[in-house]
Amino acid sequence: MKDVDTLEFQNLRSVDEVRAARVFEEGGYTSDEGASLASMRYRFDHARHLFLGAFDQKGSLVGYVMSTQANAPLVTHRSMEEHDPHGSTVCIHSVCVNPLWQRKGVASRLLEAYTRAIRNYNSSIDASECKINRLALLSRKNLVPLYERAGYTTLGKSSVVHGTETWYDCIMDL
Ligand SMILES: CC(C)(COP(=O)(O)OP(=O)(O)OC[C@H]1O[C@@H](n2cnc3c(N)ncnc32)[C@H](O)[C@@H]1OP(=O)(O)O)[C@@H](O)C(=O)NCCC(=O)NCCS
């Protein structure tokens, strides 16, 4: 049964889960858009607190949001390459759901859980650590309503060239 109410949201815990995410990444993004396994491993190793999965009752990964922190107001190419623990912007690089679970509200729940998780992260860290004050992502045009319903504001076309898609900058200030 594919019931979004039964999903559990938590950070990825193992390299096997990163491999499972990579299968969805490969299917959901074109080869010039999607992250390589090496890049996903890097993000898992350096920014696991920003790699949130939705898991079904059997513990299988159903979808995920994957990001890095950056010292820039919007998603940049640099933020795709590296995680800056002193950056106050979370740059979301992937929002991806198993095709068997799509159009059931998983991404909407994931985005909601993600915002909650980042707020919790801010409350949990030491005063000397960098708090996150913005979530930023690049959206496809047809998905802008998905992000706006999740609380993001669309700023317009992004200057980032990534694959052949035209991307739209979306942000949420916390
Ligand atoms: C985009 C994606 C994450 C959406 O996941 P999902 O779990 O199916 O999304 P939801 O069920 O929460 O969708 C909520 C609403 O978002 C919009 N939406 C979702 N997918 C859409 C699509 N492919 N085209 C247009 N609108 C879409 C719809 O308004 C939908 O409501 P509806 O089903 O009542 O019409 C999923 O299709 C995916 O993994 N795609 C491949 C990777 C990708 O493109 N990621 C986004 C990059 S910006």
Side-chain angles (χ1 to χ4, degrees):
M1 187 182 59
K2 294 185 171 35
D3 180 356
V4 287
D5 291 329
T6 64
L7 294 177
E8 288 179 9
F9 300 92
Q10 56 183 299
N11 294 123
L12 269 63
R13 295 151 295 195
S14 67
V15 172
D16 278 349
E17 289 176 353
V18 177
R19 286 203 189 93
R22 168 65 188 148
V23 172
F24 300 153
E25 179 90 5
E26 203 170 7
Y29 293 89
T30 60
S31 57
D32 50 3
E33 290 171 4
S36 65
L37 181 60
S39 173
M40 294 176 79
R41 285 281 310 260
Y42 169 85
R43 292 167 187 172
F44 177 69
D45 289 341
H46 293 86
R48 198 174 300 192
H49 61 295
L50 304 178
F51 207 150
L52 185 74
F55 295 87
D56 70 12
Q57 288 297 291
K58 291 180 181 159
S60 301
L61 187 75
V62 162
Y64 59 93
V65 176
M66 175 180 70
S67 313
T68 55
Q69 277 167 252
N71 189 11
L74 299 173
V75 175
T76 59
H77 273 292
R78 187 171 179 180
S79 71
M80 298 176 198
E81 309 286 318
E82 64 181 40
H83 168 68
D84 176 358
H86 306 296
S88 60
T89 299
V90 161
C91 295
I92 297 177
H93 304 300
S94 300
V95 178
C96 200
V97 172
N98 178 345
L100 298 173
W101 278 79
Q102 288 180 10
R103 301 309 277 258
K104 296 178 191 309
V106 177
S108 309
R109 298 290 182 100
L110 251 174
L111 290 167
E112 197 182 304
Y114 204 73
T115 309
R116 209 166 43 237
I118 299 297
R119 288 188 199 282
N120 288 343
Y121 171 77
N122 275 343
S123 331
S124 73
I125 57 175
D126 197 83
S128 62
E129 291 179 272
C130 182
K131 284 204 192 290
I132 290 157
N133 58 28
R134 171 174 284 195
L135 305 182
L137 59 83
L138 298 176
S139 174
R140 305 183 197 283
K141 188 171 190 181
N142 64 327
L143 294 176
V144 161
L146 167 70
Y147 296 115
E148 289 189 344
R149 274 200 292 275
Y152 288 78
T153 301
T154 310
L155 300 181
K157 282 186 191 173
S158 168
S159 58
V160 171
V161 177
H162 184 57
T164 54
E165 182 90 47
T166 299
W167 298 98
Y168 289 75
D169 280 310
C170 295
I171 57 156
M172 186 195 300
D173 286 327
L174 299 179

